[in-house]
Each structure stands twice: as C-alpha cells, then as structure tokens.
Amino acid sequence: MSKIAIFGANGTIGSRVLDEALRRGHQVTAVVRDPAKITKTDPNLTVTTGDILDPASVAAVAQGQDVLVSAVGGGDGPGHIATIKPSAESLVAGLRTLGEAAPRLISVGGAGSLRTPDGKQVWDAAGLPEFLLQIMHAHGDALDFYRTVSDVRWTNVSPAALIEPGERTGAYRTALDDLVADAEGVSRISAEDYAVALLDEIEKPQHIGERFTVGY
C-alpha cells in the first residue's frame, strides 16, 4: 500500500480521492487549511494543515510520502488564476528540495485545453462565460508549466467536460490530449469514477511526465 498525501482533501474531487484511497487500504494524509472540516475517521487517515503555496510547507508534507495529490481549486475565476498555476510552481519547488526522495506528484487538471473532434480546444467553444474561461486557462497555464518540468515525476489528470458528484461505477475510458466523449458527443465523468481513475494511475503508473484525461 502507498502513503498518499492529498492537498484539498475536503473539496468535491479531493474528498472522493480521499475516500477511494482509503477504500483501497492506502495510508492517507489529508492536507487542509481547517482540519475541523475533515469529519471522516479511519485508522489509515491522518489530518494535517499545510499551505500549498509555500514550497517549504509542501516539502514538509511530502516528506516520507509515496504520492502527493493536488486537488485544490480556486472557487471563482480570479481565485483559480491566483491558485492553480502558483500552486503547481510551489509543489514543484517544494518537491525539488527533497531530491530523489521526493514523492510522485499527481494534480487535478482541467478540461479546457483538451482537443475536440473539430481540432479546436474545449475553451474555443462559443459563448463560454468569462469566469469559466478564466478557470480553464488557469489549468492550461499550470499544465504548460508542468510540461517544462523534467526533474519531478508529475502527472496531470484532466476530467471530462462535465464532472460532478454521482455514482461510482469503476468504468471509464482514457485519452491523452483528446476529449473523451460518448457516442452522442457528451463528455462527462462522475467525481467518484474520476477518483477511481486517479487511484488506478497511482497503483499502476502509466502517465508519468504527461497529462491524460478520463471520461465515459
């Protein structure tokens, strides 16, 4: 079993990742700003505080872990701009201080930069509101940064165009940079099955140093 630390473990996606990791028997450290928000108890769960925007805090949390998961969000558009790429830079900076002892990094990405069947990207669709474009491009900027990194083992996991709480089926399909959609052109994934895919990647690494996406 792996030792997994999760930043943003009380969010919509982070909480599902935490549940899935515990379900599989991993040792999990939930890293949050307010420990009182984690009400779950489990013999394999530790709750601690940490600041993802502080490389020293990242390094302290990451010490002794096998995998570091970033599931932080930013709320609105400006919040994502202030959080997503800066947190990617802080995570990499913190892990670099640990050298070869650094855990693997898996970050929750966005769908905006994925290619659509017409050869464009999701964020090129007409009529998208500004706040959503800000969120999409914040994740795109973080991915661009990760792709410059070769000395930290990173993976970026983009969800389908629609991700929301739902059912855990254990079924999903993956791609690299192309949006995963069903026969009707609908691109979606439950947060629960997204967490299944992320934990599968932890247990059987296939995408170190690249982005992949998951959908039905």
Side-chain angles (χ1 to χ4, degrees):
M1 293 296 101
S2 297
K3 294 181 179 179
I4 304 169
I6 306 170
F7 275 100
N10 58 334
T12 299
I13 296 177
S15 63
R16 269 76 179 179
V17 173
L18 181 144
D19 288 346
E20 184 67 24
L22 290 175
R23 176 191 183 111
R24 301 188 188 202
H26 296 290
Q27 295 182 35
V28 182
T29 299
V31 190
V32 292
R33 285 174 290 189
D34 181 5
K37 291 186 176 180
I38 299 289
T39 57
K40 176 184 289 290
T41 58
D42 188 283
N44 286 333
L45 175 62
T46 301
V47 181
T48 189
T49 57
D51 181 359
I52 198 170
L53 296 177
D54 177 4
S57 180
V58 168
V61 166
Q63 187 76 43
Q65 302 290 333
D66 298 310
V67 182
L68 188 62
V69 175
S70 169
V72 298
D76 58 9
H80 275 75
I81 292 171
T83 303
I84 302 302
K85 183 182 178 184
S87 67
E89 293 170 334
S90 176
L91 287 162
V92 169
L95 291 176
R96 278 175 171 156
T97 67
L98 301 180
E100 293 184 0
R104 182 182 176 197
L105 170 64
I106 299 186
S107 64
V108 173
S113 59
L114 292 167
R115 283 192 301 258
T116 52
D118 60 6
K120 297 182 179 180
Q121 290 171 288
V122 172
W123 58 36
D124 293 325
L128 294 175
E130 179 61 26
F131 84 90
L132 187 56
L133 287 170
Q134 290 177 331
I135 292 172
M136 288 179 172
H137 283 284
H139 281 291
D141 290 344
L143 177 59
D144 286 344
F145 165 72
Y146 281 128
R147 284 174 165 163
T148 71
V149 175
S150 59
D151 57 340
V152 169
R153 294 172 298 151
W154 64 270
T155 300
N156 188 263
V157 190
S158 288
L162 176 63
I163 179 169
E164 58 187 2
E167 183 182 358
R168 182 192 186 279
T169 70
Y172 61 86
R173 293 182 297 133
T174 64
L176 293 180
D177 295 312
D178 294 301
L179 187 71
V180 177
D182 63 18
E184 286 72 46
V186 177
S187 175
R188 66 182 185 88
I189 189 76
S190 71
E192 287 76 5
D193 281 335
Y194 175 93
V196 170
L198 192 148
L199 264 294
D200 285 350
E201 174 65 23
I202 286 177
E203 293 178 352
K204 296 181 179 179
Q206 299 183 57
H207 300 286
I208 292 176
E210 65 184 13
R211 181 262 294 273
F212 77 101
T213 184
V214 57
Y216 292 131

